[in-house]
């Protein structure tokens, strides 16, 4: 889903930094998109990696107008999930979006936007699931909090909640 969003943004004239842990796929995607794209190897659970991705956007493109938080993991054992699984899911699906916004917002100008990919799973219960819906519900709430926090600076924050997607 993230790559499809990236392709659409580039097609609409945006210049993008793609942040992911999959170097081979990320570099190939950036090459296929030309000079409008840059790949940054980024573990979204590592604050230094997030800071570096934001810095690369500024270095290469001199501005950051759109932040799309689409990092996600689907591993979910429902009520049988361990504490470690909970921490990992929340770190990837929720906390990474907060930390990206923390680093990006100070360099964003009025008119910029933060887009968080929520999920219908974060709005409705799902049998046998716990981690994914809870983390996406948290991201949807974070979006609301960021929206009121960043509004005085003219920065919008919105959430898009797709239904089931296979990517």
């Amino acid at each position: 889903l993230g790559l499809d969003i990236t392709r659409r943004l580039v097609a609409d004239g945006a210049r993008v930094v793609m942040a992911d842990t999959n170097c081979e796929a990320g570099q190939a995607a950036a090459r296929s998109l030309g000079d409008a794209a840059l790949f940054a190897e980024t573990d979204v659970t590592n604050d230094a990696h997030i800071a570096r991705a934001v810095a690369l956007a500024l270095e290469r493109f001199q501005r950051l107008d759109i932040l799309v938080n689409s990092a996600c993991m689907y591993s979910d054992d429902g009520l049988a999930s361990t504490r470690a699984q909970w921490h990992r899911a929340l770190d990837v699906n929720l906390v990474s979006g907060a930390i990206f916004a923390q680093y990006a917002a100070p360099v964003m100008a009025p008119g910029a936007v933060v887009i968080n990919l929520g999920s219908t799973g974060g709005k409705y219960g799902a049998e046998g699931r716990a981690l994914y819906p809870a983390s996406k519900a948290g991201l949807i709430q974070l979006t609301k909090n960021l929206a009121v926090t960043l509004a005085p600076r003219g920065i919008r924050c919105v959430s898009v909640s797709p239904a089931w997607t296979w990517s």
Side-chain angles (χ1 to χ4, degrees):
L1 190 58
L3 182 55
D4 288 335
I5 293 166
T6 300
R7 286 181 180 132
R8 183 70 219 187
L9 288 170
V10 169
D12 287 344
R15 297 174 298 173
V16 300
V17 174
M18 297 175 290
D20 201 324
T21 56
N22 187 335
C23 290
E24 187 176 325
Q27 289 169 349
R31 280 191 303 275
S32 75
L33 294 168
D35 291 338
L38 172 66
F39 175 73
E41 181 180 2
T42 306
D43 174 353
V44 298
T45 67
N46 182 315
D47 292 10
H49 284 208
I50 292 171
R52 186 180 69 229
V54 170
L56 283 171
L58 294 174
E59 179 183 307
R60 173 83 177 266
F61 302 121
Q62 290 75 53
R63 56 192 287 171
L64 201 162
D65 297 317
I66 303 169
L67 170 64
V68 178
N69 285 313
S70 64
C72 182
M73 62 172 288
Y74 299 98
S75 177
D76 193 331
D77 292 329
L79 289 177
S81 299
T82 66
R83 181 175 294 275
Q85 288 172 308
W86 273 99
H87 282 227
R88 178 76 178 152
L90 290 170
D91 208 7
V92 171
N93 296 357
L94 171 60
V95 177
S96 68
I99 302 302
F100 254 108
Q102 180 183 56
Y103 282 100
V107 300
M108 295 175 107
V113 62
V114 176
I115 303 168
N116 291 327
L117 262 68
S119 170
T120 56
K123 297 179 179 185
Y124 307 101
E127 183 179 351
R129 309 274 290 166
L131 307 180
Y132 180 80
S135 62
K136 288 301 185 173
L139 188 64
I140 292 166
Q141 183 60 46
L142 174 67
T143 302
K144 296 172 187 178
N145 292 33
L146 288 173
V148 297
T149 299
L150 298 176
R153 295 194 36 229
I155 299 170
R156 294 174 297 124
C157 188
V158 299
S159 174
V160 178
S161 291
W164 284 98
T165 59
W166 297 106
S167 59

